[in-house]
Amino acid sequence: MIEETLRNKIAEQVSELIKTGPCCPELKAEGAKWLEDAPSEAGDQALIKELREDLSPIDDTIAFYESDAAAAIFGSREAADRAIEAEKKRKAAGEKYCDCAACTITAAILKELGELA
C-alpha cells in the first residue's frame, strides 16, 4: 500500500489530473474513486493499472497525429503535420511519452510510485 506521505502528494496530482481536458474518462473515474475510497492495496493497484494503460508512448502519439482524427481536431492536416514534427523532435531528444497535460501528470505520478524509470 502507498505510504501516507507519498499518498498525500499523489492525491494532489490525481486531483489535478482528473481536472485536465485530455484525461480519459476511465482514468478520471478511477482517479476519483481512488481519492474517495479508504486507502487499500487493491485501490492503489487499480489506479496504477489505469495510469499505465493511459500513458501514451511517443510513437502512439505520433501515430495519432498522423490520423484523420487529428487533422479534424487540429483543424487541418497542416496543423497535425506540425504536431508530428514537434513530436518527432521530442522523440529524437529522447522523450518517451506524450507531453499533453494528462500524460505529463500521469508520468509524474508513476515516477513517484517507482513504476516508471
Side-chain angles (χ1 to χ4, degrees):
M1 198 157 72
I2 299 172
E3 172 278 309
E4 185 178 352
T5 303
L6 181 56
R7 183 180 192 80
N8 291 337
K9 182 176 183 178
I10 291 170
E12 291 176 21
Q13 293 170 306
V14 169
S15 293
E16 183 181 347
L17 174 62
I18 63 178
K19 293 176 189 173
T20 66
C23 184
C24 79
E26 296 84 6
L27 183 52
K28 285 184 183 204
E30 192 61 51
K33 183 178 183 326
W34 183 82
L35 289 169
E36 293 169 8
D37 289 351
S40 71
E41 184 66 30
D44 293 348
Q45 291 307 311
L47 176 66
I48 290 167
K49 179 180 181 284
E50 191 64 40
L51 289 165
R52 283 185 192 146
E53 289 176 3
D54 292 348
L55 181 58
S56 181
I58 199 156
D59 287 332
D60 292 356
T61 303
I62 292 168
F64 165 72
Y65 285 130
E66 291 172 338
S67 72
D68 291 338
I73 290 168
F74 286 96
S76 71
R77 182 75 257 156
E78 182 181 333
D81 287 344
R82 284 194 303 272
I84 292 168
E85 287 308 310
E87 292 304 312
K88 286 182 177 179
K89 286 179 184 175
R90 290 183 62 251
K91 180 179 178 178
E95 296 295 328
K96 296 179 181 178
Y97 302 102
C98 171
D99 67 343
C100 76
C103 285
T104 299
I105 297 168
T106 297
I109 294 168
L110 289 170
K111 283 179 186 174
E112 288 285 338
L113 293 170
E115 297 286 330
L116 190 64

